[in-house]
Amino acid sequence: RYEQREDFAVVMQPFFRNTLLPLDSTSKPDMSFFAADCFHFSVRGYAEMAMALWNNMLEPVGEKQTYNNFTHDRSKLRCPNPEKPFLSTRRNSGFGNSDLNLEKTEPSVPYWAVIVTAVVGVLVGSL
């Protein structure tokens, strides 16, 4: 949808795709990464996710890390490359089409179909 835009991009950040549960020294889940409900991250867990997300945004598309190693090591936080001091997108990673085609395209679903589907869904749901 946004691939032809020069001023906006949506980029999947896969840093959490292959992440394994962090383990403590006894090979049990390291609960210091999780909140009291054992579902949400703790401050430490959010710090790890924030570092992984930041690093992922700096990596070129096609070379993004798909896991996070929970080490609580601040030295793994990356700085922007002086040669490419920007967030990586498909276009600036070499995957984008350099010739912009900004012709207006028709949406794949007519707007009225969305309205009709929503009304039908409400009617069926109320029955």
Side-chain angles (χ1 to χ4, degrees), residues 52-111:
L53 176 60
W54 173 256
N55 289 343
N56 236 194
M57 290 190 301
L58 295 176
E59 296 167 338
V61 173
E63 299 175 28
K64 293 185 180 290
Q65 184 171 308
T66 61
Y67 62 91
N68 182 25
N69 56 347
F70 292 88
T71 59
H72 203 60
D73 179 10
R74 297 286 187 244
S75 67
K76 68 182 178 183
L77 188 61
R78 296 190 184 120
C79 292
N81 181 339
E83 296 172 10
K84 295 182 179 181
F86 41 78
L87 302 179
S88 295
T89 64
R90 284 181 54 85
R91 182 178 297 276
N92 66 28
S93 294
F95 291 101
N97 183 2
S98 59
D99 297 327
L100 281 177
N101 181 7
L102 298 176
E103 295 176 16
K104 187 167 178 133
T105 58
E106 291 296 319
S108 59
V109 177
Y111 74 91

Side-chain angles (χ1 to χ4, degrees), residues 11-66:
V11 180
M12 176 70 73
Q13 305 300 340
F15 69 92
F16 205 60
R17 184 178 298 153
N18 296 319
T19 296
L20 299 174
L21 191 64
L23 303 176
D24 62 14
S25 59
T26 62
S27 296
K28 293 186 179 179
D30 188 344
M31 297 311 291
S32 69
F33 288 100
F34 299 97
D37 64 5
C38 300
F39 178 75
H40 294 93
F41 288 115
S42 64
V43 171
R44 182 179 182 190
Y46 279 121
E48 288 289 321
M49 293 297 103
M51 284 190 291
L53 176 60
W54 173 256
N55 289 343
N56 236 194
M57 290 190 301
L58 295 176
E59 296 167 338
V61 173
E63 299 175 28
K64 293 185 180 290
Q65 184 171 308
T66 61

